[in-house]
Amino acid sequence: MKKHEHLLEEYEDAYFALLMEEVAKKEGERLEALNETLQSDPDAAVPESLDKRCMETIRRHFAHQQRRSALRKTGKVLRLVAVIMAVTVLLFTTALAVSEEFRVATLNLMLTITEEYTQFSINASEGTGGIKKSASNTDEKSEYFQNAEIGWIPEGFVCSENIYNTYVRFENDLGEFFYVAIQSGEGGVLRVDTENPDSIENISINGNEGLCIVKNGEIGVITADLENCLYIEVGASLALTVDTAKKISENILIL
């Protein structure tokens, strides 16, 4: 019985397909005849003025699209230029001329700038001068880092995550946060997201040059401690303000 029903369904499907094929053929012939009639009827032609207006509208639309594309590309280039300018100022501040010691130390900080990021690299090879071994080689310890202490924590913030000697995060009841990350510069690099920032500025904190970046509702204060060969990063939610993030960075003591 099931086989009979299956064969019946196949027959109905095939019959329906044949009917639709015939309908489609007749409809195609009708439309083709209508098209020939319209083409031979002067009154059915699209007025030349309307045709020109339509073509002009199409050209304006595509020109607008091309301008938008060009503006996006130009804006991207200009934002990259702004980053390059900010980082260049970082390397050529007035403090550079203060002393030979500072000049040598500054030249040991290498930066690579791309559209997506800025890369910090400390040249700690022998003979470069001005750079000591990383402070992590000493024996002093603090609660969150070996050889580094967070000297000021805003009121109401408590530790919510800690990877000892690498990263610590603090939060308050309002969901605001900040974190401190310290990384050795010996043989390592630090990449910082500087693609399309809301703002970027060169900063100097405790004699350490770096960048302050605001992007996607977060603040990043990154400095290179050349004396101790360390990268120090303070990140914070925008509600804490740039000044607060800088103050936290200023109060990080290398033991």
Side-chain angles (χ1 to χ4, degrees):
M1 188 65 179
K2 290 184 178 179
K3 184 177 180 180
H4 175 77
E5 292 175 353
H6 179 68
L7 291 173
L8 185 61
E9 288 178 359
E10 289 185 342
Y11 165 76
E12 291 175 347
D13 291 341
Y15 182 67
F16 180 76
L18 287 171
L19 287 176
M20 289 300 100
E21 182 181 11
E22 187 64 24
V23 170
K25 183 179 179 181
K26 290 182 178 180
E27 185 66 14
E29 292 174 351
R30 186 185 69 82
L31 292 175
E32 187 175 350
L34 179 60
N35 180 50
E36 291 178 358
T37 301
L38 290 174
Q39 287 183 352
S40 60
D41 184 0
D43 295 333
V46 176
E48 185 178 355
S49 60
L50 178 60
D51 184 62
K52 287 183 178 179
R53 287 201 302 271
C54 290
M55 293 303 297
E56 182 62 29
T57 300
I58 292 172
R59 282 195 293 268
R60 282 201 307 268
H61 174 75
F62 279 98
H64 177 65
Q65 291 295 100
Q66 290 174 346
R67 284 197 300 272
R68 288 181 61 184
S69 178
L71 286 172
R72 283 197 296 270
K73 292 179 181 177
T74 302
K76 193 172 184 179
V77 171
L78 290 176
R79 286 190 291 270
L80 178 59
V81 169
V83 171
I84 292 174
M85 291 179 64
V87 175
T88 302
V89 172
L90 166 65
L91 293 178
F92 295 96
T93 56
T94 54
L96 184 62
V98 171
S99 69
E100 183 67 24
E101 181 181 355
F102 184 90
R103 186 178 294 107
V104 171
T106 301
L107 293 177
N108 285 321
L109 176 60
M110 309 279 294
L111 291 105
T112 303
I113 309 166
T114 73
E115 290 184 356
E116 291 80 26
Y117 61 85
T118 297
Q119 177 174 289
F120 287 68
S121 177
I122 297 176
N123 181 6
S125 60
E126 292 185 8
T128 54
I131 295 180
K132 300 179 181 178
K133 287 186 177 181
S134 173
S136 62
N137 292 324
T138 65
D139 296 327
E140 297 185 62
K141 294 183 179 181
S142 68
E143 185 176 359
Y144 304 111
F145 295 94
Q146 184 179 2
N147 322 118
E149 184 175 354
I150 304 174
W152 181 73
I153 297 175
E155 186 177 353
F157 283 81
V158 296
C159 177
S160 60
E161 182 181 357
N162 181 213
I163 303 173
Y164 185 73
N165 203 38
T166 302
Y167 172 91
V168 60
R169 178 186 176 98
F170 296 85
E171 297 182 3
N172 65 8
D173 294 337
L174 299 176
E176 300 166 347
F177 71 89
F178 76 88
Y179 65 84
V180 177
I182 299 179
Q183 174 185 328
S184 172
E186 292 184 354
V189 298
L190 177 65
R191 287 186 177 181
V192 180
D193 182 3
T194 52
E195 182 181 13
N196 302 333
D198 297 326
S199 68
I200 181 170
E201 64 171 318
N202 63 295
I203 56 174
S204 179
I205 293 180
N206 300 332
N208 301 323
E209 301 300 306
L211 297 173
C212 178
I213 302 155
V214 177
K215 178 178 176 177
N216 297 333
E218 293 189 15
I219 304 163
V221 177
I222 301 94
T223 55
D225 184 341
L226 299 182
E227 182 178 0
N228 295 293
C229 196
L230 295 170
Y231 304 117
I232 302 172
E233 180 178 0
V234 174
S237 52
L238 197 56
L240 264 71
T241 76
V242 169
D243 289 339
T244 300
K246 289 180 179 179
K247 184 175 179 180
I248 293 169
S249 184
E250 289 169 357
N251 285 275
I252 295 175
L253 175 65
I254 305 300
L255 303 176

